[in-house]
Amino acid sequence: MNYNLSKDFALSLDSKDELKSYRKQFHIPKKNNGKEMIYFCGNSLGLQPKKTQEYVDQELKDWANLGVEGHLHAKNPWLPYHEFLSSSYSKIIGAKETEVVAMNTLTVNLHLMLVSFYRPTEKRFKIIIEDDAFPSDIYAVESQIKHHGFDVEKALIKLKPREGEFAVRTEDIEEIIDQQGESIELIMLGGVNYYTGQVFDFEKITKYAQLKGVNVGFDLAHAAGNVNLKLHDWNVDFAVWCSYKYLNSGPGSVGGAFVHERHHNSQVHRFSGWWGHNKADRFKMPDKFNPIKTVEGWQLSNPPILSLAAIRSSLSIFDEVGMDKLVLKSNNLTNYLRFLLSSIENDRIEIITPKKSGCQLSIRVINGNKTLFDMITNKGVISDWREPDVIRVAPVPLYNSYEDVYVFYNILKKLI
Ligand SMILES: *Cc1c(COP(=O)(O)O)cnc(C)c1O
């Protein structure tokens, strides 16, 4: 596409946008003067779909009217409620319905997956993770390493980009696998790195690692609902995600997990709870745990229905749009933003997000001075600052417009 720098061009892109009507389905935060803000923070907390209230109200109403009977007789019975999300999740993650489940929250799920897929031995005990992984992920893997009695210094390999680069090269990951493969138990990466926005080559890395018997898991916090995924076909062992970023399901909402179907058997080591037990006799309260032969076998507790209702509302929009159309608009929107930013001649900012990205661009402020971020915030742009020197902006295809991108560019250009 031939982009240009005029506002009319942004408006013409909006008028041709097939997904433009979806913006009206979301609550867009407003400034004091009643004008809508430029909300570029869907990578941190997605906006509320207007219909979510109705979905949550339905469950409050059924609880009020039915009490415990709602488990079986609510309009959407609570006993199997998590199953109502599986079809939508399977399309977003690229998996079979039996491979995805809504449960717990992200870091909790990561620990549960590490229980199953990090089973270190004297010979094979290392974990590979990004050097700039989200802190919670680092804390989780470090604590697991210690839990098994290993030394974090020896067991944790942190992937760094080459000097002067921001993205980690796949070939460098392969080289580490070549050199240390026999001692590596697990590779655990953010599918889309939260800081740089880099999308890892899921398929290539998984294949390469598995040849050496390494387990492969991805944290999809920044990937789910943002980029096209095919976890089943890529043969990934496990994945975890949260639903409050691109999946617009509300602060702290329930997360999800994927376990490849080849691991769905009762021999896999796991932490267990009653919700993971065989549905046919769960309420006979048997003593012996007999896991459901799907990813549901990893569930511990009966889930919070109000949260699942919010997820269900949001996923109904994803069902309607489909990931293909979403990603198509996302690429156009983000490429447009790249184009506009690169037209600003300056020595104060640079985009560190590699070409292979989702919707987020990470803008490095060269001297690490946060005032630029404070100033765009004052102008009504909601983005975020990540230490030491990055402003993350994420134009989200479901509710952001080309005009949003244009207005942001104009604000930034004037400040620079
Ligand atoms: C957002 C995010 C988390 C947050 O974890 P919670 O358990 O949901 O609080 C963890 N890891 C990554 C990579 C994230 O982006």
Side-chain angles (χ1 to χ4, degrees):
M1 199 185 300
N2 283 324
Y3 295 112
N4 76 53
L5 296 174
S6 72
K7 177 158 188 182
D8 282 347
F9 182 68
L11 298 179
S12 81
L13 289 175
D14 277 330
S15 72
K16 283 181 270 180
D17 173 12
E18 227 188 307
L19 303 186
K20 65 170 176 269
S21 65
Y22 284 94
R23 181 180 174 93
K24 290 199 276 309
Q25 296 195 25
F26 288 84
H27 292 286
I28 313 279
K30 295 193 173 77
K31 293 191 271 196
N32 290 338
N33 65 10
K35 269 188 72 178
E36 286 175 349
M37 299 202 194
I38 308 290
Y39 194 81
F40 278 173
C41 227
N43 55 344
S44 184
L45 185 73
L47 292 180
Q48 184 187 139
K50 289 179 180 163
K51 60 167 132 166
T52 294
Q53 172 131 32
E54 193 187 304
Y55 277 69
V56 175
D57 280 350
Q58 177 69 47
E59 304 317 320
L60 286 172
K61 210 163 67 193
D62 284 345
W63 176 27
N65 293 332
L66 300 169
V68 72
E69 300 276 292
H71 282 301
L72 293 173
H73 301 302
K75 182 168 175 229
N76 316 295
W78 304 327
L79 196 64
Y81 201 102
H82 65 277
E83 296 170 29
F84 305 149
L85 311 183
S86 299
S87 160
S88 316
Y89 264 157
S90 71
K91 287 177 235 157
I92 288 170
I93 305 300
K96 296 190 176 180
E97 288 188 30
T98 50
E99 292 174 320
V100 292
V101 66
M103 62 179 193
N104 312 312
T105 45
L106 192 155
T107 309
V108 173
N109 286 333
L110 180 52
H111 274 295
L112 293 179
M113 292 298 118
L114 290 167
V115 164
S116 295
F117 296 98
Y118 180 61
R119 307 271 298 140
T121 62
E122 282 304 321
K123 275 176 64 184
R124 199 187 266 286
F125 59 94
K126 294 180 188 167
I127 299 181
I128 298 187
I129 196 167
E130 310 116 283
D131 185 51
D132 59 354
F134 194 85
S136 196
D137 300 27
I138 304 237
Y139 304 155
V141 296
E142 285 190 354
S143 64
Q144 289 275 342
I145 289 169
K146 289 184 209 157
H147 171 69
H148 287 282
F150 288 84
D151 180 356
V152 171
E153 289 292 314
K154 295 200 183 94
L156 194 58
I157 304 173
K158 289 183 171 177
L159 292 172
K160 284 195 180 64
R162 294 185 186 182
E163 189 71 33
E165 297 185 3
F166 296 101
V168 178
R169 296 190 190 198
T170 306
E171 70 223 58
D172 291 353
I173 302 176
E174 289 175 348
E175 196 181 315
I176 295 177
I177 296 170
D178 282 342
Q179 289 162 358
Q180 308 190 51
E182 267 78 49
S183 63
I184 299 167
E185 166 73 348
L186 174 68
I187 296 189
M188 221 301 294
L189 302 175
V192 177
N193 178 271
Y194 89 102
Y195 190 78
T196 63
Q198 172 180 14
V199 179
F200 283 96
D201 192 333
F202 292 80
E203 188 174 18
K204 213 165 172 195
I205 295 168
T206 304
K207 206 178 224 164
Y208 207 82
Q210 288 175 344
L211 285 174
K212 294 258 180 164
V214 178
N215 291 328
V216 183
F218 287 96
D219 180 332
L220 305 178
H222 284 264
N226 180 24
V227 296
N228 265 319
L229 298 168
K230 293 197 164 47
L231 290 209
H232 174 85
D233 291 348
W234 294 337
N235 208 39
V236 170
D237 292 287
F238 74 87
V240 293
W241 59 93
C242 55
S243 64
Y244 49 79
K245 290 173 179 163
Y246 296 109
L247 296 177
N248 310 321
S249 300
S253 196
V254 167
F258 160 91
V259 175
H260 198 280
E261 68 179 355
R262 66 186 189 283
H263 300 300
H264 296 175
N265 58 66
S266 20
Q267 275 69 54
V268 179
H269 183 82
R270 75 186 94 196
F271 284 173
S272 318
W274 75 314
W275 226 248
H277 183 89
N278 178 17
K279 291 173 203 175
D281 72 343
R282 181 193 286 145
F283 285 94
K284 296 193 180 118
M285 305 297 185
D287 286 340
K288 189 170 158 22
F289 178 66
N290 175 18
I292 303 169
K293 305 286 186 298
T294 70
V295 66
E296 290 172 279
W298 272 263
Q299 296 173 108
L300 300 180
S301 304
N302 76 104
I305 299 299
L306 299 181
S307 172
L308 295 191
I311 303 178
R312 204 168 139 248
S313 155
S314 170
L315 294 188
S316 72
I317 299 175
F318 281 84
D319 277 342
E320 222 176 273
V321 176
M323 283 308 293
D324 288 341
K325 278 190 186 164
L326 201 79
V327 168
L328 189 67
K329 175 174 174 190
S330 177
N331 289 339
N332 288 337
L333 205 56
T334 298
N335 285 337
Y336 177 54
L337 176 58
R338 273 185 198 274
F339 164 79
L340 292 177
L341 293 180
S342 62
S343 77
I344 307 176
E345 275 195 42
N346 74 97
D347 53 8
R348 286 185 61 192
I349 58 166
E350 72 175 317
I351 299 172
I352 64 168
T353 305
K355 283 278 168 325
K356 197 165 182 288
S357 75
C359 69
Q360 172 190 321
L361 291 185
S362 303
I363 303 169
R364 187 167 91 96
V365 183
I366 302 289
N367 54 13
N369 188 337
K370 198 172 163 221
T371 44
L372 183 63
F373 170 75
D374 295 334
M375 287 192 290
I376 62 172
T377 306
N378 280 336
K379 296 277 183 197
V381 176
I382 308 281
S383 61
D384 66 17
W385 173 262
R386 284 288 173 266
E387 293 294 343
D389 56 6
V390 158
I391 299 171
R392 302 188 305 172
V393 287
V396 170
L398 274 181
Y399 49 75
N400 283 123
S401 62
Y402 293 90
E403 189 181 358
D404 283 341
V405 170
Y406 180 81
V407 173
F408 168 68
Y409 148 75
N410 232 351
I411 290 171
L412 199 65
K413 188 177 72 172
K414 283 188 187 134
L415 290 172
I416 287 176

